[in-house]
Amino acid sequence: QGMYKYLERCFSDFKQRGFVVGYDTRGQVTSSCSSQRLAKLTAAVLLAKDVPVYLFSRYVPTPFVPYAVQELKAVAGVMITASHNRKEDNGYKVYWETGAQITSPHDKEILKCIEECVEPWNGSWNDNLVDTSPLKRDPLQDICRRYMEDLKKICFHRELNSKTTLKFVHTSFHGVGHDYVQLAFQVFGFKPPIPVPEQKDPDPDFSTVKCPNPEEGESVLELSLRLAEKENARIVLATDPDADRLAVAELQENGHWKVFTGNELAALFGWWMFDCWKKNTSRNADVKNVYMLATTVSSKILKAIALKEGFHFEETLPGFKWIGSRIKDLLENGKEVLFAFEESIGFLCGTSVLDKDGVSAAVVAAEMAAYLETMNITLKQQLIKVYEKYGYHISKTSYFLCYDPSTIKSIFERLRNFDSPKEYPKFCGTFAILHIRDVTTGYDSSQPNKKSVLPVSKNSQMITFTFQNGCVATLRTSGTEPKIKYYAEMCASPEQSDTAFLEEELKKLIEALIENFLEPSKNGLIWRSV
């Protein structure tokens, strides 16, 4: 209802252009409240007000909604999903006419409109409208066909793909991904990936994983790794339940699996997308017109590649909504964006969608692996080559759980008033701090005017420390979970190749960061269980 109220105010042609609604496969048995039911109710509210609604007739990957908004020229769209959150959760993800997730001021204005109409209107519960209204359309076939057609833009080795001896296992984590990843592989000329039978069909209970987040690594990838060993497949691809994120694992010579972090995968994707651009572009194409983006808590590896290769790199606030809206600006100014990512395994190859996309990332990762295989190079070996050329970037990301908002607030307030009021810390243990950026307050000690270049983000906590030894560390709160996250990275120059030293230095710094700034035992923080 709040959405309707706001959109009616913003768009005079709302009732001509319509609205997109998609949903994943979540559901709570006790309340019989599934994503599909919430999607039908969302559609019913708008249909009752004579708004045309493009309601997908079955579950789709999250990126299909922003893609459909752009393709169908709708004013906005909603995806009912809680992505990789625990099974009890659900959520409502809003996309603007641009195809990017909403940013300020839209979010606050929609919230105001929600507050103004909390009573259900007549007709709001009438979900029969979904079956009877002539204003309801099903965009599934059309959007799926267009999406798969657009995928061809980022396929560079179709013939090689069709001949590869590499085998891939794909798990869709009990979510939406299976059918769509199968189709994407077909578009790229691959044989179908081997699905994990226990996880291929939707299951709102996520019954074979302790949590439905592929980011948790080997512990949640157990079934797919065992299947891969049995099938003699060297690469495992895991899409999260709403298929907008991707995890990748590769079997190593020593029989162990390497599960790549989001930052490591981004180093590979960044190298790959630029390499393909170089080999497939016309002679007079200007590298200065090319961009890659990452969120500020993600690895700076793309920055290192950009400096050496001559293209542009830009940072945004955490969250793909900022990346999506920045890409939109760049495209409107005639720029070419090859790749964007956030460290929490969210990747965007190309710009057909303005949000992270696990389906396209999965098939691009497969093509990259198949190409490297022809030269007898593994993904892990190629990652090392990227680091040797552009400089080692060694990072660690983790989190603490904290269910008390006032504790979280006091941890960050203490950092803003460390040894005395309005003074940030100058040291963390024995590590000297060079610069501090506090996006919550808009302060940045590295800028001449002491103001942060990134927009102020008052309703979330985030402080970044740049250390004398070249390490960059960020502490921030999560937007969707009761977590305090920390991110730390050592960025070395290409000539500094002593990885053992870099890793040891990073480890000590993280220990100091936790002990001095987060104080888990004093604050009752719960360590991430590994």
Side-chain angles (χ1 to χ4, degrees), residues 309-341:
E309 300 292 350
F311 63 85
H312 288 274
F313 167 73
E314 283 194 11
E315 269 188 356
T316 70
L317 283 172
F320 237 90
K321 60 185 182 181
W322 301 105
I323 287 181
S325 47
R326 181 60 187 142
I327 290 177
K328 188 73 183 161
D329 294 345
L330 289 167
L331 295 177
E332 280 172 356
N333 286 300
K335 308 300 181 195
E336 191 172 357
V337 182
L338 301 184
F339 174 65
F341 87 104

Short mmCIF file of all heavy atoms in Angstrom, two decimals, residues 309-341:
data_model
loop_
_atom_site.label_atom_id
_atom_site.label_comp_id
_atom_site.label_asym_id
_atom_site.label_seq_id
_atom_site.Cartn_x
_atom_site.Cartn_y
_atom_site.Cartn_z
N GLU A 309 46.56 -1.13 -15.91
CA GLU A 309 46.03 -1.32 -17.26
C GLU A 309 45.43 -0.06 -17.86
O GLU A 309 45.11 -0.01 -19.05
CB GLU A 309 44.97 -2.44 -17.25
CG GLU A 309 45.48 -3.80 -16.79
CD GLU A 309 46.47 -4.44 -17.76
OE1 GLU A 309 46.63 -3.92 -18.90
OE2 GLU A 309 47.08 -5.45 -17.39
N GLY A 310 45.20 0.96 -17.03
CA GLY A 310 44.76 2.24 -17.58
C GLY A 310 43.25 2.47 -17.60
O GLY A 310 42.79 3.49 -18.11
N PHE A 311 42.45 1.55 -17.05
CA PHE A 311 41.01 1.83 -16.98
C PHE A 311 40.67 2.47 -15.64
O PHE A 311 41.53 2.69 -14.80
CB PHE A 311 40.17 0.58 -17.28
CG PHE A 311 40.33 -0.58 -16.31
CD1 PHE A 311 39.58 -0.64 -15.14
CD2 PHE A 311 41.20 -1.63 -16.60
CE1 PHE A 311 39.71 -1.71 -14.26
CE2 PHE A 311 41.34 -2.70 -15.72
CZ PHE A 311 40.59 -2.74 -14.55
N HIS A 312 39.38 2.79 -15.44
CA HIS A 312 38.97 3.47 -14.21
C HIS A 312 38.42 2.48 -13.19
O HIS A 312 37.72 1.54 -13.55
CB HIS A 312 37.85 4.49 -14.49
CG HIS A 312 38.34 5.68 -15.23
ND1 HIS A 312 38.88 6.78 -14.61
CD2 HIS A 312 38.37 5.95 -16.56
CE1 HIS A 312 39.22 7.67 -15.51
NE2 HIS A 312 38.93 7.19 -16.71
N PHE A 313 38.70 2.77 -11.93
CA PHE A 313 38.10 1.99 -10.84
C PHE A 313 37.40 2.96 -9.90
O PHE A 313 37.93 4.01 -9.58
CB PHE A 313 39.18 1.21 -10.08
CG PHE A 313 38.69 0.65 -8.78
CD1 PHE A 313 37.83 -0.44 -8.77
CD2 PHE A 313 39.03 1.23 -7.56
CE1 PHE A 313 37.33 -0.95 -7.57
CE2 PHE A 313 38.54 0.72 -6.36
CZ PHE A 313 37.71 -0.37 -6.38
N GLU A 314 36.20 2.58 -9.45
CA GLU A 314 35.49 3.43 -8.49
C GLU A 314 34.96 2.61 -7.33
O GLU A 314 34.64 1.43 -7.49
CB GLU A 314 34.29 4.12 -9.17
CG GLU A 314 34.70 5.29 -10.01
CD GLU A 314 33.49 6.16 -10.39
OE1 GLU A 314 32.39 5.96 -9.82
OE2 GLU A 314 33.66 7.03 -11.26
N GLU A 315 34.87 3.26 -6.18
CA GLU A 315 34.33 2.62 -4.97
C GLU A 315 32.98 3.22 -4.62
O GLU A 315 32.73 4.39 -4.88
CB GLU A 315 35.27 2.92 -3.79
CG GLU A 315 36.31 1.90 -3.60
CD GLU A 315 37.08 2.12 -2.29
OE1 GLU A 315 36.87 3.10 -1.56
OE2 GLU A 315 37.90 1.26 -2.02
N THR A 316 32.14 2.38 -4.01
CA THR A 316 30.85 2.89 -3.51
C THR A 316 30.69 2.48 -2.05
O THR A 316 31.49 1.68 -1.54
CB THR A 316 29.66 2.29 -4.29
OG1 THR A 316 29.55 0.90 -3.94
CG2 THR A 316 29.83 2.42 -5.79
N LEU A 317 29.65 2.98 -1.43
CA LEU A 317 29.27 2.50 -0.10
C LEU A 317 28.93 1.01 -0.19
O LEU A 317 28.60 0.52 -1.27
CB LEU A 317 28.04 3.26 0.40
CG LEU A 317 28.26 4.69 0.92
CD1 LEU A 317 26.92 5.34 1.19
CD2 LEU A 317 29.11 4.69 2.19
N PRO A 318 28.95 0.27 0.94
CA PRO A 318 28.57 -1.16 0.90
C PRO A 318 27.13 -1.32 0.44
O PRO A 318 26.26 -0.53 0.78
CB PRO A 318 28.72 -1.61 2.35
CG PRO A 318 29.64 -0.63 2.98
CD PRO A 318 29.39 0.67 2.29
N GLY A 319 26.87 -2.38 -0.33
CA GLY A 319 25.51 -2.64 -0.81
C GLY A 319 25.44 -2.44 -2.31
O GLY A 319 25.91 -1.42 -2.83
N PHE A 320 24.84 -3.41 -3.01
CA PHE A 320 24.81 -3.35 -4.46
C PHE A 320 23.91 -2.24 -4.99
O PHE A 320 24.00 -1.84 -6.15
CB PHE A 320 24.39 -4.71 -5.06
CG PHE A 320 25.43 -5.24 -6.01
CD1 PHE A 320 26.46 -6.04 -5.54
CD2 PHE A 320 25.41 -4.90 -7.34
CE1 PHE A 320 27.44 -6.51 -6.40
CE2 PHE A 320 26.39 -5.36 -8.23
CZ PHE A 320 27.41 -6.17 -7.75
N LYS A 321 23.04 -1.69 -4.11
CA LYS A 321 22.18 -0.59 -4.58
C LYS A 321 23.03 0.59 -5.03
O LYS A 321 22.70 1.28 -5.99
CB LYS A 321 21.18 -0.18 -3.50
CG LYS A 321 21.81 0.32 -2.21
CD LYS A 321 20.74 0.59 -1.16
CE LYS A 321 21.35 1.13 0.12
NZ LYS A 321 20.33 1.37 1.13
N TRP A 322 24.16 0.80 -4.34
CA TRP A 322 25.03 1.94 -4.68
C TRP A 322 25.77 1.65 -5.99
O TRP A 322 25.96 2.54 -6.81
CB TRP A 322 26.02 2.21 -3.55
CG TRP A 322 25.34 2.51 -2.27
CD1 TRP A 322 25.21 1.70 -1.18
CD2 TRP A 322 24.63 3.72 -1.93
NE1 TRP A 322 24.48 2.31 -0.20
CE2 TRP A 322 24.12 3.56 -0.62
CE3 TRP A 322 24.39 4.92 -2.61
CZ2 TRP A 322 23.37 4.55 0.01
CZ3 TRP A 322 23.66 5.91 -1.96
CH2 TRP A 322 23.15 5.72 -0.66
N ILE A 323 26.19 0.40 -6.16
CA ILE A 323 26.86 0.02 -7.41
C ILE A 323 25.90 0.17 -8.58
O ILE A 323 26.23 0.77 -9.61
CB ILE A 323 27.39 -1.44 -7.31
CG1 ILE A 323 28.62 -1.49 -6.39
CG2 ILE A 323 27.76 -1.99 -8.69
CD1 ILE A 323 29.25 -2.86 -6.25
N GLY A 324 24.68 -0.37 -8.41
CA GLY A 324 23.69 -0.31 -9.49
C GLY A 324 23.41 1.11 -9.94
O GLY A 324 23.40 1.41 -11.15
N SER A 325 23.21 2.02 -8.97
CA SER A 325 22.85 3.38 -9.40
C SER A 325 24.06 4.11 -9.99
O SER A 325 23.91 4.91 -10.92
CB SER A 325 22.19 4.19 -8.27
OG SER A 325 22.91 4.06 -7.09
N ARG A 326 25.26 3.79 -9.52
CA ARG A 326 26.46 4.41 -10.11
C ARG A 326 26.69 3.89 -11.54
O ARG A 326 27.04 4.66 -12.44
CB ARG A 326 27.69 4.12 -9.24
CG ARG A 326 28.98 4.74 -9.75
CD ARG A 326 28.91 6.26 -9.84
NE ARG A 326 30.07 6.85 -10.49
CZ ARG A 326 30.03 7.89 -11.31
NH1 ARG A 326 28.89 8.49 -11.58
NH2 ARG A 326 31.13 8.36 -11.86
N ILE A 327 26.47 2.60 -11.77
CA ILE A 327 26.62 2.04 -13.12
C ILE A 327 25.65 2.74 -14.08
O ILE A 327 26.01 3.10 -15.19
CB ILE A 327 26.39 0.51 -13.15
CG1 ILE A 327 27.54 -0.22 -12.44
CG2 ILE A 327 26.29 0.00 -14.59
CD1 ILE A 327 27.37 -1.74 -12.35
N LYS A 328 24.42 2.93 -13.60
CA LYS A 328 23.41 3.62 -14.42
C LYS A 328 23.92 4.99 -14.88
O LYS A 328 23.84 5.33 -16.06
CB LYS A 328 22.12 3.76 -13.61
CG LYS A 328 20.94 4.28 -14.40
CD LYS A 328 20.38 3.24 -15.35
CE LYS A 328 19.25 3.81 -16.18
NZ LYS A 328 19.00 3.00 -17.38
N ASP A 329 24.50 5.76 -13.94
CA ASP A 329 25.07 7.08 -14.27
C ASP A 329 26.17 6.96 -15.32
O ASP A 329 26.22 7.72 -16.28
CB ASP A 329 25.70 7.74 -13.03
CG ASP A 329 24.68 8.09 -11.98
OD1 ASP A 329 23.47 8.09 -12.31
OD2 ASP A 329 25.06 8.35 -10.83
N LEU A 330 27.07 5.99 -15.10
CA LEU A 330 28.21 5.83 -16.01
C LEU A 330 27.73 5.47 -17.42
O LEU A 330 28.21 6.01 -18.41
CB LEU A 330 29.17 4.76 -15.49
CG LEU A 330 29.98 5.14 -14.24
CD1 LEU A 330 30.64 3.92 -13.61
CD2 LEU A 330 31.04 6.20 -14.57
N LEU A 331 26.76 4.54 -17.51
CA LEU A 331 26.25 4.13 -18.82
C LEU A 331 25.59 5.31 -19.53
O LEU A 331 25.74 5.48 -20.74
CB LEU A 331 25.25 2.97 -18.68
CG LEU A 331 25.80 1.63 -18.14
CD1 LEU A 331 24.68 0.62 -17.99
CD2 LEU A 331 26.90 1.07 -19.04
N GLU A 332 24.87 6.12 -18.76
CA GLU A 332 24.20 7.28 -19.37
C GLU A 332 25.20 8.30 -19.90
O GLU A 332 24.89 9.11 -20.76
CB GLU A 332 23.23 7.93 -18.37
CG GLU A 332 21.93 7.15 -18.30
CD GLU A 332 20.99 7.61 -17.20
OE1 GLU A 332 21.37 8.51 -16.42
OE2 GLU A 332 19.86 7.08 -17.13
N ASN A 333 26.43 8.24 -19.35
CA ASN A 333 27.48 9.14 -19.82
C ASN A 333 28.41 8.46 -20.83
O ASN A 333 29.54 8.91 -21.04
CB ASN A 333 28.29 9.68 -18.63
CG ASN A 333 27.49 10.72 -17.86
OD1 ASN A 333 27.10 11.74 -18.42
ND2 ASN A 333 27.20 10.45 -16.61
N GLY A 334 27.92 7.38 -21.43
CA GLY A 334 28.68 6.73 -22.51
C GLY A 334 29.86 5.88 -22.07
O GLY A 334 30.72 5.53 -22.88
N LYS A 335 29.94 5.55 -20.78
CA LYS A 335 31.06 4.72 -20.30
C LYS A 335 30.72 3.23 -20.44
O LYS A 335 29.55 2.86 -20.56
CB LYS A 335 31.37 5.02 -18.83
CG LYS A 335 31.57 6.49 -18.51
CD LYS A 335 32.73 7.08 -19.27
CE LYS A 335 32.95 8.56 -18.92
NZ LYS A 335 33.83 9.21 -19.89
N GLU A 336 31.76 2.42 -20.39
CA GLU A 336 31.56 0.97 -20.49
C GLU A 336 31.97 0.33 -19.15
O GLU A 336 33.10 0.52 -18.69
CB GLU A 336 32.43 0.42 -21.62
CG GLU A 336 32.12 -1.01 -21.98
CD GLU A 336 32.85 -1.50 -23.23
OE1 GLU A 336 33.57 -0.71 -23.87
OE2 GLU A 336 32.70 -2.68 -23.55
N VAL A 337 31.06 -0.38 -18.52
CA VAL A 337 31.37 -1.03 -17.24
C VAL A 337 31.49 -2.53 -17.47
O VAL A 337 30.55 -3.17 -17.95
CB VAL A 337 30.27 -0.72 -16.18
CG1 VAL A 337 30.63 -1.38 -14.85
CG2 VAL A 337 30.10 0.78 -16.00
N LEU A 338 32.65 -3.08 -17.14
CA LEU A 338 32.89 -4.49 -17.42
C LEU A 338 32.51 -5.41 -16.27
O LEU A 338 32.04 -6.52 -16.47
CB LEU A 338 34.39 -4.73 -17.74
CG LEU A 338 34.98 -3.96 -18.91
CD1 LEU A 338 36.43 -4.39 -19.13
CD2 LEU A 338 34.17 -4.17 -20.18
N PHE A 339 32.74 -4.92 -15.04
CA PHE A 339 32.58 -5.81 -13.89
C PHE A 339 32.43 -4.99 -12.61
O PHE A 339 33.00 -3.92 -12.47
CB PHE A 339 33.82 -6.72 -13.79
CG PHE A 339 33.84 -7.60 -12.57
CD1 PHE A 339 32.88 -8.60 -12.40
CD2 PHE A 339 34.81 -7.46 -11.58
CE1 PHE A 339 32.88 -9.41 -11.27
CE2 PHE A 339 34.84 -8.26 -10.45
CZ PHE A 339 33.87 -9.24 -10.31
N ALA A 340 31.62 -5.52 -11.68
CA ALA A 340 31.47 -4.89 -10.36
C ALA A 340 31.23 -5.98 -9.33
O ALA A 340 30.70 -7.04 -9.66
CB ALA A 340 30.29 -3.92 -10.38
N PHE A 341 31.64 -5.71 -8.09
CA PHE A 341 31.44 -6.76 -7.08
C PHE A 341 31.40 -6.20 -5.66
O PHE A 341 31.82 -5.08 -5.39
CB PHE A 341 32.56 -7.81 -7.18
CG PHE A 341 33.82 -7.50 -6.39
CD1 PHE A 341 34.08 -8.17 -5.19
CD2 PHE A 341 34.74 -6.58 -6.84
CE1 PHE A 341 35.23 -7.91 -4.46
CE2 PHE A 341 35.90 -6.31 -6.11
CZ PHE A 341 36.15 -6.98 -4.92
#
